[in-house]
Amino acid sequence: MSTLFTPTQVGPYAVSHRVVLAPLTRMRTDAGDVPGDLMVQYYTQRASKGALLIAEATAVSPRAIAYAGAPGIHTDAQQRGWKRVVDAVHARGARIFLQLWHGGRQAHPDNMGGELPIAPSAIRSEEKAVVRDAAGAFLEVDQVVPRAMAAVEIPLVIEEFRQAAERAKQAGFDGVELHAANGYLPDQFLQDGSNLRTDAYGGPIENRARFLLEAVEALVGVWGGDRVAVRISPSGKFGTMSDSDPVGTFGYVAEQLNRYGLAYLHVVEPRIRGYEDLALDAPAVASKSLGGLFKGPIVAAGGFSRESAEQILAAGDADLVAFGRFFISNPDLPERFRLGLPLTTYDRNTFYGGDHRGYTDYASHREPMPA
Ligand code: FNR
């Protein structure tokens, strides 16, 4: 008996199974960071009746972008582009949330006219940003030492999240997910390895969580609690992240989020770094531990197979499971799982940037495989 294929409720929405499309940056926008025809086709392929999709990390402001080619939701053209995606997904009977994203210190000056990225503290992340070279080709570059935000700037950035949430609503999305995972801005405030502030946004956990919770409040103000979600990666090291007490830090967040009646809490499981699989060597904060604190639905993500997804659902440690890499190469992933069909393997060379190849040319099982 499969638990993956039982219906459930996400906020006000009935969904017909537990297989969720994870948010996936694919860097395939048209000029102006606008979702175009290629993205419409990609999301349409992955939409099926009763499914829940989470659209990729989308910049809330021109200063939020870490990867050239990723979409935004701060201009009219971007909003119109997303509306085309949403309309196409709805026409297939699926629901779609938008992941709202601010890269903070992971953003890069070359993507924002030479300006330094902003962060809680002037500490560099040792990952790569993606910019364009003079010929417009993608280039990986080291991230830079960011500028510590002045206290007066913080409400302005929260306001950018609010405006992005407003635009997402006008574009017709079913809800929004705050990207508080993977070492981006809300996560940078939250974890003490990246936050050395001594004002109301740094120091004790009540202060370090303030930015994340104020962002949630801004989104809830636009959408109501039951159409807002939050993604966290309590054990994630991506983005040079660290915290001296992950159990206390993320436990506090999970409990505080109970105030809003959120659609779900999305938890990246410990065995994933960004999207690389890790051997589990230490006990870590995961859906299992946070599910005891957070009172709403839990979406778990990170390294799941059909079998391990069934297990976490059966154990009651998650309510839905989001799939990333397998959904890239299997546009009809829920159907393949339901029918027990073999999966197509993914090609990581085409994960980020490029054209339709490795993006919209993975066949669903009814179609002949592309040559
Ligand atoms: C990701 N991941 C990711 N996470 C996120 O919160 N926002 C994002 O935009 C992205 N972008 C992204 C792009 C690509 C190409 C990959 C492979 C991954 C992480 C993703 O949502 C997921 O947590 C991981 O891929 C682990 O799940 P799987 O792939 O093991 O099912």
Side-chain angles (χ1 to χ4, degrees):
M1 162 73 189
S2 165
T3 30
L4 265 183
F5 292 93
T6 53
T8 189
Q9 191 76 16
V10 171
Y13 309 116
V15 298
S16 53
H17 58 74
R18 316 301 179 97
V19 183
V20 176
L21 172 67
L24 294 164
T25 294
R26 305 300 310 277
M27 296 160 54
R28 282 345 192 254
T29 53
D30 290 353
D33 307 334
V34 173
D37 292 344
L38 200 54
M39 285 177 63
V40 171
Q41 192 187 354
Y42 167 82
Y43 281 102
T44 306
Q45 288 174 342
R46 284 157 186 77
S48 56
K49 194 166 170 42
L52 175 64
L53 276 49
I54 306 168
E56 66 206 81
T58 296
V60 300
S61 91
R63 280 162 298 282
I65 204 151
Y67 312 112
I73 184 108
H74 51 82
T75 71
D76 291 346
Q78 292 163 355
Q79 185 182 316
R80 281 195 300 271
W82 275 121
K83 182 166 189 323
R84 295 183 54 225
V85 171
V86 171
D87 289 347
V89 166
H90 284 166
R92 302 271 301 233
R95 298 287 180 185
I96 181 165
F97 277 47
L98 182 64
Q99 190 182 50
L100 296 180
W101 176 51
H102 196 304
R105 67 180 183 173
Q106 294 205 60
H108 195 277
D110 288 9
N111 291 333
M112 44 193 197
E115 244 181 85
L116 277 183
I118 53 171
S121 301
I123 308 169
R124 191 166 80 89
S125 156
E126 285 157 30
E127 303 289 348
K128 302 281 183 188
V130 179
V131 302
R132 286 183 216 273
D133 67 16
F138 288 135
L139 187 68
E140 281 198 352
V141 290
D142 286 340
Q143 293 174 349
V144 303
V145 179
R147 179 172 67 74
M149 291 163 79
V152 291
E153 287 178 274
I154 293 175
L156 305 177
V157 176
I158 299 291
E159 172 60 15
E160 290 177 336
F161 274 97
R162 196 196 62 75
Q163 284 176 15
E166 190 66 60
R167 283 189 181 276
K169 197 169 189 191
Q170 283 165 23
F173 279 98
D174 297 297
V176 287
E177 177 183 282
L178 176 69
H179 195 348
N182 301 349
Y184 298 115
L185 190 58
D187 203 15
Q188 290 161 27
F189 271 94
L190 185 61
Q191 300 200 47
D192 61 14
S194 46
N195 183 347
L196 305 181
R197 299 181 76 90
T198 52
D199 63 6
Y201 291 86
I205 176 58
E206 294 76 13
N207 287 354
R208 281 181 285 120
R210 195 179 308 281
F211 183 89
L212 188 162
L213 296 174
E214 286 182 354
V216 169
E217 273 162 32
L219 308 189
V220 168
V222 175
W223 281 91
D226 63 347
R227 291 184 292 171
V228 171
V230 176
R231 190 177 219 219
I232 53 175
S233 51
S235 306
K237 299 285 169 254
F238 181 80
T240 322
M241 296 308 289
S242 68
D243 192 79
S244 57
D245 176 21
V247 173
T249 295
F250 288 93
Y252 178 82
V253 170
E255 282 182 326
Q256 290 300 309
L257 290 176
N258 286 328
R259 282 194 254 152
Y260 309 107
L262 298 182
Y264 61 87
L265 177 62
H266 193 167
V267 181
V268 184
E269 295 292 292
R271 57 182 171 267
I272 283 290
R273 178 194 183 276
Y275 66 83
E276 305 290 344
D277 298 295
L278 285 181
L280 263 190
D281 46 8
V285 189
S287 297
K288 188 179 175 62
S289 43
L290 294 177
L293 302 170
F294 181 71
K295 299 306 174 205
I298 299 262
V299 178
F304 282 97
S305 62
R306 180 182 178 216
E307 292 69 32
S308 58
E310 291 285 10
Q311 281 163 14
I312 197 169
L313 295 173
D317 293 332
D319 300 282
L320 300 105
V321 178
F323 293 86
R325 291 164 294 178
F326 283 135
F327 229 135
I328 288 176
S329 52
N330 297 274
D332 55 345
L333 188 67
E335 192 66 358
R336 292 216 196 183
F337 280 158
R338 199 175 61 79
L339 300 174
L341 297 172
L343 300 184
T344 304
T345 52
Y346 44 81
D347 174 10
R348 57 182 69 219
N349 296 316
T350 51
F351 276 179
Y352 301 108
D355 52 22
H356 69 285
R357 284 169 294 180
Y359 190 55
T360 52
D361 63 352
Y362 287 109
S364 69
H365 70 278
R366 285 199 195 82
E367 301 162 11
M369 295 293 167

